Amino acid sequence: MLKHTSIRTRLYSIAAMSLAMSLIFAAIGVYGIIEGSQALSSVYEHQVQPQRALLAMESAIKDVRFRMAGFVLDQYPAVGNRIHLSEARRVVPKAWQDFRQRSHSNDFSPEQQALISVVDKNLGALEAFFEKLDQAYARENRAAIAAMLENEWPFTVYTTVLKPMTQLIPAQETQVMAAYNAYVAEGRQLTTAGVSLFGLLTAVL
């Protein structure tokens, strides 16, 4: 295209196009950095943080059961277990609230939404279980706690809260991977666009 122009004009044109390419690649780079930062922030806020909340909730509930069994076997004192139970009663509802607030915009499947509804409906029963357990610890009633562990835990805690809640953890991991893959795909598109533009400008020169 430039073969019939003077050398000076061609040099000016080459310099101008080189500057234009530099500016375009710089713009693509800045855009990629901004998009990447926003993507990472979104993944952390809406996928990583909810997953951390679920893991904290799972750990607190499982530790309650572990300490119940330890008390029945005379391995843990009632006083220490009551202190731990008080902490679990604080952690569990807060962790669930954090999960619900941070994941409200996530794209849950109907099955996952059903699991969330099950936990929502049974947190009150879990708190009642914790209150009954605290009273049994206060009386140091091993027989009562053994009965709760055998007869109430499987239905009041495990089936209706712990199991559906833990089934949500893999869903959060899947969403983290999906968000990462979307960011990678967008990065590839930007790279492809930049290379194509470079090829076009080179052909013009």
Side-chain angles (χ1 to χ4, degrees):
M1 178 179 177
L2 299 177
K3 62 176 62 177
H4 298 300
T5 59
S6 67
I7 294 177
R8 177 178 295 180
T9 301
R10 291 183 64 185
L11 289 175
Y12 284 148
S13 299
I14 291 172
M17 289 184 179
S18 298
L19 178 60
M21 283 192 292
S22 298
L23 293 175
I24 290 171
F25 278 119
I28 291 175
V30 171
Y31 176 79
I33 292 172
I34 293 174
E35 286 295 301
S37 177
Q38 291 176 344
L40 289 175
S41 177
S42 177
V43 168
Y44 180 77
E45 181 68 21
H46 300 296
Q47 276 82 38
V48 175
Q49 287 289 73
Q51 183 183 30
R52 290 179 62 182
L54 291 177
L55 290 172
M57 188 176 174
E58 177 189 33
S59 177
I61 294 175
K62 285 183 175 180
D63 208 21
V64 168
R65 185 189 185 284
F66 178 78
R67 287 177 174 272
M68 288 175 68
F71 177 75
V72 170
L73 297 174
D74 200 18
Q75 295 178 347
Y76 285 96
V79 174
N81 278 12
R82 289 189 77 187
I83 294 173
H84 172 266
L85 178 61
S86 176
E87 178 66 11
R89 294 174 77 173
R90 182 190 67 82
V91 169
V92 169
K94 183 180 184 304
W96 185 249
Q97 182 181 29
D98 287 347
F99 168 76
R100 297 291 278 128
Q101 288 178 346
R102 295 179 184 274
S103 66
H104 72 277
S105 61
N106 291 359
D107 186 21
F108 290 112
S109 68
E111 292 78 11
Q112 293 160 356
Q113 292 173 356
L115 293 173
I116 292 172
S117 296
V118 169
V119 178
D120 276 335
K121 292 176 182 178
N122 289 284
L123 280 181
L126 178 64
E127 173 56 28
F129 177 89
F130 284 162
E131 176 60 27
K132 182 178 179 180
L133 177 60
D134 184 64
Q135 294 175 8
Y137 279 138
R139 299 190 303 271
E140 299 193 9
N141 190 335
R142 283 187 172 80
I145 293 177
M148 291 179 67
L149 190 58
E150 182 177 356
N151 302 322
E152 297 183 44
W153 181 274
F155 307 102
T156 305
V157 183
Y158 179 76
T159 303
T160 57
V161 177
L162 184 58
K163 182 179 179 180
M165 184 269 297
T166 53
Q167 288 175 334
L168 289 168
I169 295 175
Q172 287 301 122
E173 294 174 349
T174 300
Q175 292 199 14
V176 170
M177 183 58 65
Y180 170 77
N181 289 336
Y183 170 65
V184 170
E186 184 174 354
R188 287 174 179 169
Q189 290 176 353
L190 286 174
T191 301
T192 300
V195 171
S196 299
L197 183 59
F198 176 79
L200 177 63
L201 293 176
T202 301
V204 171
L205 292 176

